[in-house]
Amino acid sequence: MSLVIIGTGLAGYNLAREWRKLNPDAPLVILTRDDGRNYSKPMLSTGYTKGKTADQLAMQTAAQMAEQLKADIRTQVSVTAIDPVAKTVTVDGETVAYDKLVLAQGADPFQPPMGGDGLDRVLTVNDLEDYARFQAAATGKKHVIVIGGGLIGSEYANDLSNGGYAVQLVEPVGRVLPALLPPVASEAVGAALAGLGVTFHFGVSVQAVHQDGEGVRATLSDGREIQGDLVLSAIGLRPRVALAKDAGLAVNRGIVVNRELQTSHPDIYALGDCAEVEGLVLPYVLPLMAGARALAKTLSGQPTAVVYPAMPVQVKTPVCPVVVSPVAPGVAGAWTVDAQDGPNVRASFRNGDGQLLGFALTGSFAGDAALKAQLAKEVPAMLA
Ligand SMILES: Cc1cc2nc3c(=O)[nH]c(=O)nc-3n(C[C@H](O)[C@H](O)[C@H](O)COP(=O)(O)OP(=O)(O)OC[C@H]3O[C@@H](n4cnc5c(N)ncnc54)[C@H](O)[C@@H]3O)c2cc1C
């Protein structure tokens, strides 16, 4: 059985590792449009705090990974089409055949609709190459405008502040981490970031970015203008579904897969940020690792449903650490604050029967491993 994987992110490489353990000699081809270096994407938002360049974050080259995985890894190539009937993919005009195909294509940063002539100074950081580009653009600069106060925007605000940058953060909702935390916990994180020097512009969006000498001028939706040297946009990700959609596979928010991570075509699977597993798009490391373990078995002849226990997410804002077991939008219930002492907040989300469905811990509570483990055990599994 020959396996072809598209993508060398954490999803592609974790699957390759798990599958290789069960298939020591079978042919494995991995195709990627980046340079195939193995790195841990969560480290991208702690790079300034830890003083790391992109090269220092890369753990292995594509050649080292090819040797370790006994794989044919083709880098800087783009897969442009899938033919599910012929069981081939088109790679820069060439055809590569597969028995089983796994899409581990990740997600694209969402680009906010903005006008202005300074959009080339609006950067996103979603892979190692973006990170190198951002570091180069930010070298010698001082003022960064961050668009978005979600997980990635808040992490970058903390990291850039640690790196000596003056950060202005624009977030349409009136607080940081609005989709993850109850207001009291958001306020704790916001106050801690403000203490580092972050300036917030809440309740507004960026309408336009104009060049302003060497820097930028951003027009906010309330008409105000703010200045900076460059802009980092972090307003969310969209699963890469175009290739799957063009091949006739079912797509929704992500590439639609069942519990065995199988798409609407039996020989094609999807994993990681691009996949929607039984309606869940979970762009985090733990779900893709659980998926990689299950999928390796399925692809080795032991059909295995993925299991998602409660998987608390750590937000890397060291000035006020956060651990959150998020609640899906629309779930009935309410947050209560169980304890609060300055930046230290412990909150729980319960339904009408008192069942714990999610929790949020900030400050010292986030560092209490026993508390986190106990709460995580109480929260029902996402996919049992
Ligand atoms: C700054 C940041 C911090 C994060 N922090 C955390 C954290 O603390 N904890 C956590 O759990 N999660 C975190 N995440 C999320 C986590 O890193 C991602 O969920 C995970 O890395 C996604 O891996 P992936 O392999 O699915 O996608 P990616 O890493 O995006 O990989 C996609 C791959 O597909 C390839 N590809 C795509 N299309 C094609 C094509 N047509 N042809 C060829 N190749 C193609 C790309 O080249 C790439 O190799 C963070 C994310 C970011 C951006």
Side-chain angles (χ1 to χ4, degrees), residues 195-209:
L196 278 185
V198 177
T199 306
F200 293 107
H201 303 281
F202 285 133
V204 288
S205 57
V206 176
Q207 304 281 290
V209 176

Side-chain angles (χ1 to χ4, degrees), residues 117-118 121 210-218 225-229:
D117 63 4
R121 296 176 190 179
H210 302 281
Q211 294 183 17
D212 189 10
E214 291 293 297
V216 291
R217 190 164 34 84
E225 294 200 317
I226 59 174
Q227 274 158 325
D229 294 318

Side-chain angles (χ1 to χ4, degrees), residues 233-251:
S233 174
I235 61 162
L237 295 170
R238 293 279 154 93
R240 294 183 176 124
V241 300
L243 197 58
K245 191 172 173 202
D246 290 349
L249 306 181
V251 302

Side-chain angles (χ1 to χ4, degrees), residues 42 45-46 150-160 314-317:
S45 50
T46 59
L151 181 141
I152 293 174
S154 298
E155 290 188 353
Y156 278 124
N158 197 148
D159 191 46
L160 286 161
Q314 211 167 317
V315 184
K316 301 183 295 298
T317 43

Side-chain angles (χ1 to χ4, degrees), residues 6-13 31-36 39-46 74 77-80 91 104-107 125-127 151-152 155-156 237 240 243 271-274 282-288 312-316:
I6 304 176
T8 54
L10 288 170
Y13 275 151
L31 306 166
T32 182
R33 64 184 182 200
D34 62 26
D35 61 17
Y39 72 104
S40 173
K41 192 182 281 199
M43 303 297 282
L44 296 180
S45 50
T46 59
R74 302 186 201 168
V77 293
S78 229
V79 179
T80 49
V91 189
Q105 290 177 257
V125 178
N126 186 40
D127 60 33
L151 181 141
I152 293 174
E155 290 188 353
Y156 278 124
L237 295 170
R240 294 183 176 124
L243 197 58
L271 175 71
D273 281 8
C274 65
L282 298 174
Y284 301 112
V285 176
L286 289 179
L288 72 80
V313 176
Q314 211 167 317
V315 184
K316 301 183 295 298

Side-chain angles (χ1 to χ4, degrees), residues 16-384:
R17 234 179 250 117
E18 297 293 333
W19 182 82
R20 183 51 88 207
K21 286 184 206 161
L22 305 174
N23 302 271
D25 300 312
L28 171 61
V29 175
I30 312 181
L31 306 166
T32 182
R33 64 184 182 200
D34 62 26
D35 61 17
R37 285 187 289 178
N38 181 33
Y39 72 104
S40 173
K41 192 182 281 199
M43 303 297 282
L44 296 180
S45 50
T46 59
Y48 283 105
T49 305
K50 300 198 168 141
K52 300 270 189 195
T53 64
D55 289 345
Q56 288 165 332
L57 289 178
M59 297 180 290
Q60 278 98 20
T61 62
Q64 288 167 327
M65 291 305 290
E67 196 182 334
Q68 199 181 96
L69 295 166
K70 289 198 278 167
D72 171 5
I73 301 180
R74 302 186 201 168
T75 62
Q76 322 279 14
V77 293
S78 229
V79 179
T80 49
I82 303 168
D83 183 337
V85 178
K87 295 177 68 166
T88 59
V89 295
T90 306
V91 189
D92 287 347
E94 263 183 60
T95 296
V96 174
Y98 62 82
D99 290 323
K100 301 280 181 196
L101 174 67
V102 177
L103 309 176
Q105 290 177 257
D108 278 318
F110 179 63
Q111 299 292 350
M114 296 184 300
D117 63 4
L119 297 183
D120 58 339
R121 296 176 190 179
V122 179
L123 304 180
T124 54
V125 178
N126 186 40
D127 60 33
L128 212 45
E129 291 166 19
D130 290 343
Y131 179 79
R133 248 189 312 274
F134 182 83
Q135 281 210 329
T139 299
K141 306 278 167 62
K142 185 84 190 90
H143 300 274
V144 182
I145 297 170
V146 174
I147 306 180
L151 181 141
I152 293 174
S154 298
E155 290 188 353
Y156 278 124
N158 197 148
D159 191 46
L160 286 161
S161 300
N162 289 352
Y165 291 91
V167 175
Q168 298 188 71
L169 186 148
V170 183
E171 164 56 54
V173 180
R175 56 195 177 92
V176 294
L177 300 166
L180 292 176
L181 297 182
V184 66
S186 289
E187 277 143 29
V189 180
L193 288 171
L196 278 185
V198 177
T199 306
F200 293 107
H201 303 281
F202 285 133
V204 288
S205 57
V206 176
Q207 304 281 290
V209 176
H210 302 281
Q211 294 183 17
D212 189 10
E214 291 293 297
V216 291
R217 190 164 34 84
T219 310
L220 306 182
S221 50
D222 62 1
R224 278 181 303 139
E225 294 200 317
I226 59 174
Q227 274 158 325
D229 294 318
L230 72 165
V231 180
L232 176 60
S233 174
I235 61 162
L237 295 170
R238 293 279 154 93
R240 294 183 176 124
V241 300
L243 197 58
K245 191 172 173 202
D246 290 349
L249 306 181
V251 302
N252 187 31
R253 243 180 355 121
I255 302 168
V256 171
V257 294
N258 62 18
R259 288 283 297 272
E260 288 172 14
L261 305 183
Q262 187 180 45
T263 67
S264 54
H265 195 281
D267 297 316
I268 308 178
Y269 298 78
L271 175 71
D273 281 8
C274 65
E276 178 174 328
V277 187
E278 300 240 317
L280 295 171
V281 175
L282 298 174
Y284 301 112
V285 176
L286 289 179
L288 72 80
M289 291 181 74
R293 287 190 294 272
L295 182 53
K297 289 189 191 150
T298 297
L299 293 169
S300 309
Q302 308 163 48
T304 303
V306 68
V307 171
Y308 287 162
M311 291 177 278
V313 176
Q314 211 167 317
V315 184
K316 301 183 295 298
T317 43
V319 69
C320 182
V322 176
V323 172
V324 56
S325 184
V327 183
V331 171
W335 283 102
T336 50
V337 178
D338 304 316
Q340 185 183 9
D341 170 20
N344 314 310
V345 175
R346 176 182 163 183
S348 50
F349 186 95
R350 294 178 189 273
N351 63 14
D353 300 330
Q355 189 188 11
L356 185 71
L357 299 180
F359 62 85
L361 307 172
T362 69
S364 60
F365 288 117
D368 184 339
L371 174 65
K372 182 180 123 181
Q374 176 217 318
L375 291 170
K377 229 191 266 171
E378 247 187 85
V379 173
M382 279 186 272
L383 289 178

